[in-house]
């Protein structure tokens, strides 16, 4: 089990480092208290899975989580809303995820973003990157802190 966790951590750090604009400066993961480092930030989607950069039509998907735990954002076509809690450690639970139902040019992309959020189980933060992982430890996607 420890070996699997080590492999997961190294793989995730490699993903985050590979996305970094300055590959030579990877800081240790931040110690986060109840999701504080995730909240009150705009996060723009960068990756779906471990390596597929977002290439959707129109707006880049983004999320914001308020200090009250309310999620708002966009899946690239539709507005998103939901609730977020941080049960323990680096755990994240996104519930009551809902979106508007606009006619999107590529609805599969919007659905993939929704699934990424609905399946998020853990998160990691490194510099300006937020990585969401599934219950099995698989990387679901990555976001970059907005400006």
């Amino acid at each position: 089990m420890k070996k699997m966790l080590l492999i997961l951590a190294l793989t995730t750090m490699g993903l985050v480092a590979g996305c970094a604009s300055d590959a030579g400066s990877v800081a240790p993961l931040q110690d986060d208290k109840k999701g504080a480092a995730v909240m009150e930030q705009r996060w723009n989607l960068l990756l779906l899975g471990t390596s597929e950069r977002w290439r959707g039509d129109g707006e880049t998907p983004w999320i914001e989580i308020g200090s009250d735990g309310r999620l708002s954002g966009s899946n690239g076509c539709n507005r998103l809303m939901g609730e977020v809690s941080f049960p323990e450690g680096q755990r994240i639970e996104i519930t009551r995820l809902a979106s508007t139902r606009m006619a999107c040019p590529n609805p599969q992309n919007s659905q993939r973003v929704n699934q990424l959020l609905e399946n998020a189980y853990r998160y990691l933060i490194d510099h300006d990157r937020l990585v969401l992982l599934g219950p099995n430890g698989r990387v679901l996607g990555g976001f970059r802190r907005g400006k």
Side-chain angles (χ1 to χ4, degrees):
M1 183 67 174
K2 285 184 181 181
K3 191 173 185 178
M4 290 286 289
L5 289 174
L6 178 61
I7 290 169
L8 169 65
L10 292 174
T11 302
T12 302
M13 287 178 69
L15 166 70
V16 172
C19 296
S21 56
D22 180 6
S25 65
V26 176
L29 297 174
Q30 298 174 9
D31 182 25
D32 189 21
K33 304 292 186 219
K34 285 291 190 182
V38 178
M39 292 188 267
E40 302 297 329
Q41 306 280 334
R42 179 177 172 129
W43 297 99
N44 298 316
L45 185 67
L46 183 62
L47 296 172
L48 286 168
T50 56
S51 62
E52 184 182 344
R53 288 202 178 268
W54 174 256
R55 299 197 195 295
D57 300 326
E59 180 182 30
T60 298
W62 60 274
I63 59 169
E64 286 183 14
I65 301 169
S67 59
D68 59 358
R70 291 180 192 223
L71 178 139
S72 61
S74 169
N75 62 16
C77 177
N78 292 294
R79 291 283 174 215
L80 295 173
M81 64 241 33
E83 296 178 8
V84 181
S85 61
F86 301 92
E88 61 195 45
Q90 301 298 114
R91 281 269 293 116
I92 186 170
E93 288 182 359
I94 300 173
T95 57
R96 298 185 182 191
L97 188 67
S99 68
T100 57
R101 304 228 176 213
M102 304 287 288
C104 303
N106 190 347
Q108 295 85 359
N109 281 342
S110 301
Q111 291 169 356
R112 289 179 66 199
V113 173
N114 289 3
Q115 289 171 349
L116 178 153
L117 296 171
E118 289 170 339
N119 293 320
Y121 183 79
R122 286 204 182 282
Y123 69 96
L124 298 172
I125 296 179
D126 186 34
H127 288 292
D128 64 344
R129 305 293 194 265
L130 167 65
V131 179
L132 297 179
L133 303 124
N136 60 359
R138 189 183 60 146
V139 173
L140 301 175
F143 292 81
R144 178 183 296 171
R145 184 175 288 127
K147 296 181 172 97

